[in-house]
Amino acid sequence: MASLDRVKVLVLGDSGVGKSSLVHLLCQNQVLGNPSWTVGCSVDVRVHDYKEGTPEEKTYYIELWDVGGSVGSASSVKSTRAVFYNSVNGIILVHDLTNKKSSQNLYRWSLEALNRDLVPTGVLVTNGDYDREQFADNQIPLLVIGTKLDQIHETKRHEVLTRTAFLAEDFNAEEINLDCTNPRYLAAGSSNAVKLSRFFDKVIEKRYFLREGNQIPGFPDRKRFGGGTLKSLHYD
Amino acid sequence: MSFLIDSSIMITSQILFFGFGWLFFMRQLFKDYEVRQYVVQVIFSVTFAFSCTMFELIIFEILKVLNSSSRYFHWKMNLCVILLILVFMVPFYIGYFIVSNIRLLHRQRLLFSCLLWLTFMYFFWKLGDPFPILSPKHGILSIEQLISRVGVIGVTLMALLSGFGAVNCPYTYMSYFLRNVTDADILALERRLLQTMDMIISKKKRMAMTRRTMFQKGEVHNKPSGFWGMIKSVTASAPGSENLTLIQQEVDALEELSRQLFLETADLYATKERIEYSKTFKGKYFNFLGYFFSIYCVWKIFMATINIVFDRVGKTDPVTRGIEITVNYLGIQFDVKFWSQHISFILVGIIIVTSIRGLLITLTKFFYAISSSKSSNVIVLLLAQIMGMYFVSSVLLIRMSMPLEYRTIITEVLGELQFNFYHRWFDVIFLVSALSSILFLYLAHKQAPEKPMTP
């Protein structure tokens, strides 16, 4: 089989929110039977058709790096985790809909991953407080996924979903809410599946097509006119 | 009248302790979790409050604050409440929350939690049989029976923690034991980790592609699940899925390797941080303390061995002994009563504060290490149980460190317990715990590549 191009997507979130179940569902289309503690990082691969159904369809490997642990870990564990944050093309932030603190910790998780390339005296001084400017010029696509939707009672659902909508807006990201033990949430054709597909497409674009445009400095117009219709597509 | 004033003082202090326990719970233990069942938080804070009140009563005893009869009353009441909590409430709630986690038994939660509690009571009672702790003339549900058993468990815990702490403390403080770690070591290990991850990824890519081609061809790969699944997979299986299971086994081995490498790297980072810390002023201070504590630890082990071998239990407490020595051998005369009161207050106060602080820190570390969002309730209640038993047995053992006139209240309230037995038991478990910690740390130290620290 021909070797395909690849992109790297991190899956971050507090322990126990369901990252491993989610990754298993995304990659193997099956529910994870016996979830257990993730030590270090576990990787799985999803085969994704970029621009499915169009003539430019191309298959890519999407590597989902499921990094275990908590935001409050010792700094030695954080330094070890940092080795996984190299050359990341996309980030999926996972939180537990039944646990507000896991949603709040997402800010700190994203800061930890995004500030990988800054000097060590960089941004963690803000104590994880949200700073919109850091996310304004962020180039890495984000996706917010809320799990354990089935455990939210009908009456509270509206309140919870409003809160998560604000959360996703803060990150300038799409959001999906689902239950990792039920594959029907990601059934083909459902709105969740469409959002997921769009997210992966965006990640692939930023990685492969924006890069080709940037390789020719001083000719910014090439991005618009050169290379055919593909390159103009990254302007939303 | 004075009884009312005393009681109001006691109740105010209890409310203060309750508030402290509540804050500790919210800020430290449950930092990352949401408290959904407030019962758990209340139980934890109540246990903490009543345990601290016991220590407060000891201090009041030494300083002769409050009326002596009201002190006695509060002792009795406090003890009853704490025993009620430790033997009835907390175990029942632990059983209740364990049962709530299991989906099958959800319907008859109460019934099953009662069953669990009865099992606990049975084993708790049986605990008292092999130990010579009581004279048989006491009734079944008397305070002495309950306290004696709680005391055994608590003293075991104390001795275990004490033994491990006595050995671990110098080991962590002293920089003699630090392995030399260079940046090159860490980089090399990280590179190995990333290489392993790459190998896992390439295998997973093959698996994903195989699954996709199988799916497109219409075959479905069912992982052999359950007994019949395995039997079926022996006889009939598509070649694609055989390939998959082979690769899956290789991936499992590689994943185990990656976990090991991750933990080793984290360990190296931690050691590097400790090396840098040891070069600071604070680090040097702790290093010095470490030498001091190692001498103390060796002395304690030696004393425990002597106590066991020669079957002796110290009759006098350190305060009186110290005063005796100064008066008799050094010839310094001073007001014995006055000084013995103040010195024992300070000594007992230090012991109490350090043991509370040490226990809370240990509990927090333990909680972070093993809890998850599902089991956090059960674990916190277990910790509350351990904390309560620990504090009750500290009261038993602290009796030894106090001069005779202050011991009377404890002896009066706790009844005729064989205090000597508890001290002997403490010594035995302490010795066992300290020696096995030394062995354990030695083995763990030998595992890592030895490179001496260049000063």
Side-chain angles (χ1 to χ4, degrees), chain A residues 43 49 75 98 100-101, chain B residues 30-31 33-34 197 212 273:
Chain A
V43 195
D49 293 316
S75 59
T98 61
K100 248 187 269 182
K101 292 219 178 111
Chain B
F30 260 49
K31 242 185 353 186
Y33 302 113
E34 217 170 57
M197 300 304 294
R212 189 172 141 107
E273 273 172 27

Side-chain angles (χ1 to χ4, degrees), chain B residues 51-70:
Chain B
S51 314
C52 287
T53 319
M54 274 197 308
F55 287 129
E56 190 192 17
L57 281 169
I58 294 184
I59 298 278
F60 282 173
E61 191 65 35
I62 296 182
L63 291 180
K64 300 241 187 305
V65 175
L66 304 188
N67 202 356
S68 111
S69 56
S70 46

Side-chain angles (χ1 to χ4, degrees), chain B residues 299-313 424 427 431:
Chain B
W299 182 74
K300 273 204 89 159
I301 294 182
F302 181 66
M303 287 308 289
T305 327
I306 297 261
N307 280 342
I308 296 174
V309 168
F310 291 115
D311 196 26
R312 81 180 183 89
V313 182
R424 177 56 28 78
D427 284 331
L431 201 63

Side-chain angles (χ1 to χ4, degrees), chain A residues 198-215:
Chain A
R198 261 214 310 258
F199 170 72
F200 286 137
D201 284 350
K202 197 163 152 200
V203 171
I204 293 175
E205 265 171 25
K206 284 247 158 82
R207 164 75 176 87
Y208 285 105
F209 301 113
L210 194 56
R211 189 73 71 82
E212 286 179 19
N214 283 336
Q215 274 170 5

Side-chain angles (χ1 to χ4, degrees), chain A residues 164-234:
Chain A
T164 56
F166 279 126
L167 182 74
E169 208 181 288
D170 279 342
F171 286 112
N172 196 21
E174 292 270 11
E175 67 153 345
I176 295 179
N177 294 313
L178 47 66
D179 166 22
C180 298
T181 59
N182 193 344
R184 77 171 167 88
Y185 282 96
L186 290 176
S190 63
S191 66
N192 286 337
V194 169
K195 282 190 208 170
L196 200 63
S197 210
R198 261 214 310 258
F199 170 72
F200 286 137
D201 284 350
K202 197 163 152 200
V203 171
I204 293 175
E205 265 171 25
K206 284 247 158 82
R207 164 75 176 87
Y208 285 105
F209 301 113
L210 194 56
R211 189 73 71 82
E212 286 179 19
N214 283 336
Q215 274 170 5
I216 319 173
F219 292 88
D221 289 348
R222 287 235 179 167
K223 279 195 281 195
R224 213 184 279 269
F225 302 117
T229 50
L230 274 175
K231 289 191 183 112
S232 63
L233 282 168
H234 63 257

Side-chain angles (χ1 to χ4, degrees), chain B residues 169-349:
Chain B
C169 174
Y171 182 74
T172 41
Y173 282 178
M174 283 162 55
S175 48
Y176 175 75
F177 295 112
L178 280 182
R179 302 191 304 270
N180 196 16
V181 170
T182 59
D183 282 338
D185 294 333
I186 297 185
L187 272 173
L189 209 57
E190 277 184 348
R191 215 176 307 135
R192 270 183 69 192
L193 178 60
L194 286 176
Q195 275 172 358
T196 318
M197 300 304 294
D198 281 334
M199 292 200 301
I200 297 178
I201 291 178
S202 59
K203 292 203 194 293
K204 292 238 167 162
K205 282 181 188 166
R206 278 172 58 192
M207 282 171 65
M209 212 33 146
T210 320
R211 247 182 264 126
R212 189 172 141 107
T213 41
M214 276 169 55
F215 180 69
Q216 283 166 350
K217 278 193 232 158
E219 306 161 15
V220 179
H221 170 66
N222 286 319
K223 278 202 277 267
S225 57
F227 188 60
W228 292 116
M230 275 200 284
I231 302 255
K232 264 194 273 185
S233 71
V234 169
T235 50
S237 57
S241 60
E242 258 177 25
N243 229 359
L244 278 181
T245 32
L246 265 173
I247 307 183
Q248 180 66 46
Q249 281 169 356
E250 291 170 25
V251 164
D252 286 339
L254 281 174
E255 281 185 337
E256 185 59 44
L257 177 64
S258 80
R259 279 191 278 268
Q260 287 294 341
L261 287 173
F262 180 82
L263 290 175
E264 267 183 52
T265 318
D267 202 35
L268 283 190
Y269 269 113
T271 315
K272 182 165 160 228
E273 273 172 27
R274 275 181 58 198
I275 292 179
E276 297 196 0
Y277 180 72
S278 78
K279 296 192 181 127
T280 67
F281 188 65
K282 245 179 139 183
K284 291 203 169 70
Y285 166 72
F286 275 110
N287 187 25
F288 171 71
L289 269 189
Y291 283 104
F292 181 70
F293 275 124
S294 57
I295 298 177
Y296 173 72
C297 164
V298 169
W299 182 74
K300 273 204 89 159
I301 294 182
F302 181 66
M303 287 308 289
T305 327
I306 297 261
N307 280 342
I308 296 174
V309 168
F310 291 115
D311 196 26
R312 81 180 183 89
V313 182
K315 289 287 174 201
T316 52
D317 56 292
V319 180
T320 318
R321 177 95 60 74
I323 292 183
E324 268 175 21
I325 294 180
T326 24
V327 169
N328 293 339
Y329 293 110
L330 299 181
I332 303 177
Q333 300 285 342
F334 55 90
D335 188 357
V336 176
K337 270 190 85 93
F338 175 76
W339 281 108
S340 96
Q341 182 185 25
H342 280 81
I343 295 180
S344 37
F345 162 66
I346 294 177
L347 183 70
V348 168

Side-chain angles (χ1 to χ4, degrees), chain A residues 75-84, chain B residues 190 193 262 265-266 269:
Chain A
S75 59
S76 59
V77 178
K78 283 196 187 165
S79 315
T80 326
R81 273 208 298 256
V83 80
F84 299 128
Chain B
E190 277 184 348
L193 178 60
F262 180 82
T265 318
Y269 269 113

Side-chain angles (χ1 to χ4, degrees), chain A residues 17-224:
Chain A
V17 294
K19 298 187 294 294
S20 308
S21 308
L22 176 71
V23 167
H24 199 261
L25 186 63
L26 287 178
C27 299
Q28 303 191 20
N29 290 319
Q30 274 179 347
V31 175
L32 184 60
N34 52 336
S36 64
W37 288 110
T38 316
V39 175
C41 172
S42 90
V43 195
D44 214 340
V45 174
R46 176 180 163 108
V47 183
H48 178 73
D49 293 316
Y50 174 62
K51 288 204 178 335
E52 199 169 357
T54 65
E56 292 103 15
E57 176 174 334
K58 191 173 173 212
T59 324
Y60 286 87
Y61 283 127
I62 303 196
E63 298 166 11
L64 292 166
W65 292 58
D66 162 19
V67 177
S70 70
V71 261
S73 297
S75 59
S76 59
V77 178
K78 283 196 187 165
S79 315
T80 326
R81 273 208 298 256
V83 80
F84 299 128
Y85 298 158
N86 282 325
S87 58
V88 157
N89 306 121
I91 303 182
I92 298 183
L93 297 166
V94 186
H95 65 115
D96 184 350
L97 290 169
T98 61
N99 183 354
K100 248 187 269 182
K101 292 219 178 111
S102 66
S103 325
Q104 288 164 1
N105 283 337
L106 284 185
Y107 296 109
R108 294 165 68 185
W109 273 114
S110 52
L111 284 178
E112 186 179 323
L114 291 176
N115 294 323
R116 174 70 182 90
D117 297 309
L118 287 187
V119 264
T121 55
V123 190
L124 289 173
V125 178
T126 59
N127 275 337
D129 283 340
Y130 174 59
D131 186 0
R132 204 173 252 271
E133 292 180 6
Q134 283 158 0
F135 291 102
D137 57 357
N138 170 40
Q139 291 294 333
I140 303 181
L142 302 173
L143 175 69
V144 176
I145 296 191
T147 55
K148 307 195 188 167
L149 182 63
D150 54 322
Q151 290 178 26
I152 304 275
H153 200 253
E154 285 294 332
T155 49
K156 290 200 165 177
R157 218 166 257 218
H158 178 67
E159 171 197 332
V160 169
L161 292 179
T162 333
R163 173 169 60 86
T164 56
F166 279 126
L167 182 74
E169 208 181 288
D170 279 342
F171 286 112
N172 196 21
E174 292 270 11
E175 67 153 345
I176 295 179
N177 294 313
L178 47 66
D179 166 22
C180 298
T181 59
N182 193 344
R184 77 171 167 88
Y185 282 96
L186 290 176
S190 63
S191 66
N192 286 337
V194 169
K195 282 190 208 170
L196 200 63
S197 210
R198 261 214 310 258
F199 170 72
F200 286 137
D201 284 350
K202 197 163 152 200
V203 171
I204 293 175
E205 265 171 25
K206 284 247 158 82
R207 164 75 176 87
Y208 285 105
F209 301 113
L210 194 56
R211 189 73 71 82
E212 286 179 19
N214 283 336
Q215 274 170 5
I216 319 173
F219 292 88
D221 289 348
R222 287 235 179 167
K223 279 195 281 195
R224 213 184 279 269

